[in-house]
Amino acid sequence: MSNQSWQTRREAAVVNGVGTLMPVFIDRAQNAELWDVEGNRYIDFASGIAVLNTGHNHPKVVAAVREQLEKFSHTCFQVTPYPGYIELAEKLNALVPGSTPKRTLFLSTGAEAVENAIKIARAHTGRSGTIAFKGGFHGRTMMGMALTGKVVPYKTGFGPLPGEVYHLPFPADYLGVSEADALAALDLCFSADIEPTRVAAIIIEPVQGEGGFYPASPSFMQSLRNVCDQHGIVLICDEIQSGFCRTGKTFATEYSGIEPDIMTLAKSLAGGFPLSAVVGKAAIMNAAKPGGLGGTYAGSPIACAAALAVLDVIEEEQLNRRAQAQGEQLKARLHQLAERFDCIGDIRGPGAMVAMELVKGRDARQPDADLTKRLVAEAGKQGLVLLSCGVRANVIRFLAPLTAAPTLVDEGLDKLERALTAALA
């Protein structure tokens, strides 16, 4: 069947609220390449929205999943547990930043991880308030939407949302928001909106994902750590998009040298299988009573097996080093393009979590969302899967698998150049 025939069936069977970037239907995938039902080939600079740092169908992940499937697919950890859940928890407890003893909870999605991180913070502190950041993305569940700092399309029509969630400006020099501005807004929040003794948690992405790939500086993260320590607030680092080597470190929080109280993990944790985790200091994580946490499919044995293989791949194939190399490759080429095209206003991001911001005439105050939309569409025509993001809808983000060969990344960047030329014509 053709892509168009599948699109017709999709429109008749699937709700409108699930958006689709490209009207092509994938038949198979390998590492950083996709082929649709018509045999067309695409280079994947999206990785299923940062899920496939180890690439599509990594042989080690496939082998681990096959071996687990031959044993059993599901028992529910809360009914009859299994070793893979424990082994993976032990590895993550040792892997996340900080020397404080850790505990881990497994779930299925990033949004579930965020919801449960807030539940745990409330159980530990006995408080109810939460502070998040404008531009942040934390999921599409009710609390996830409340925490997310972007209205369209995530919150439109879904209110009222949970209360006692307060948003601060995220420091981004390119947008004219300094660290001092953000910290002053936090002080104002404490004096005008909610006293710090009622705040259970501050949640932050060390590098904003949907918000535009703006990184928080080490000094800002350290300031938040100090504020949380001063007031007994739980600091939650949401590493759902930035984790597992995307930034050139296993977790982006490592750049700041701080120890979070809780981290939320998902996406590239399990190489394409649904799995998320909440990892945090044992004294905090153990605050919830037995039965208060969990889920029927939480910590799927298949996904745990995949995740254990992913952690092996990270070490064996040195994915942090490969992320640094890929990031340097991307930035070098994008800076060359910026010399030709004055629509490229900024190029940023640690490791391979790279973004370029599209504006009019290099003016940061004039985001070009229309050009961004045209570029994504033209890239698809060129055989390149490309994602946009940003509160102003004018940022292109690059999320190629870290296992992609440099020659394939170059081929993708050639396609990007042709697509940008066409989008500007």
Side-chain angles (χ1 to χ4, degrees), residues 125-209:
T125 61
R127 306 171 184 179
S128 54
T130 308
I131 293 173
F133 288 86
K134 298 179 188 299
F137 180 82
H138 301 288
R140 292 179 175 86
T141 53
M142 293 304 286
M143 179 56 76
M145 283 191 296
L147 295 170
T148 290
K150 183 178 179 180
V151 173
V152 180
Y154 305 119
K155 299 185 181 186
T156 304
F158 297 131
L161 301 175
E164 290 202 295
V165 175
Y166 304 90
H167 289 89
L168 305 179
F170 189 91
D173 289 339
Y174 186 72
L175 300 181
V177 181
S178 69
E179 291 180 28
D181 293 333
L183 292 172
L186 177 58
D187 286 339
L188 182 60
C189 181
F190 285 158
S191 62
D193 297 315
I194 183 170
E195 64 271 33
T197 54
R198 284 205 298 117
V199 177
I202 295 177
I203 185 168
I204 184 171
E205 296 166 283
V207 183
Q208 285 199 329

Side-chain angles (χ1 to χ4, degrees), residues 261-298:
D261 295 311
I262 291 176
M263 292 178 69
T264 54
L265 311 173
K267 290 193 180 287
S268 277
L269 168 58
F273 289 84
L275 185 69
S276 64
V278 184
V279 186
K281 296 177 179 177
I284 295 173
M285 295 292 291
N286 285 335
K289 304 302 181 186
L293 305 175
T296 301
Y297 292 102

Side-chain angles (χ1 to χ4, degrees), residues 188-251:
L188 182 60
C189 181
F190 285 158
S191 62
D193 297 315
I194 183 170
E195 64 271 33
T197 54
R198 284 205 298 117
V199 177
I202 295 177
I203 185 168
I204 184 171
E205 296 166 283
V207 183
Q208 285 199 329
E210 297 289 327
F213 280 31
Y214 299 102
S217 71
S219 60
F220 185 71
M221 297 294 288
Q222 291 159 11
S223 294
L224 288 184
R225 178 70 277 173
N226 291 335
V227 168
C228 289
D229 288 342
Q230 179 184 353
H231 297 293
I233 298 169
V234 174
L235 178 59
I236 303 171
C237 288
D238 183 337
E239 292 258 16
I240 289 168
Q241 189 159 167
S242 59
F244 298 100
C245 308
R246 174 53 55 182
T247 67
K249 290 188 180 292
T250 308
F251 303 107

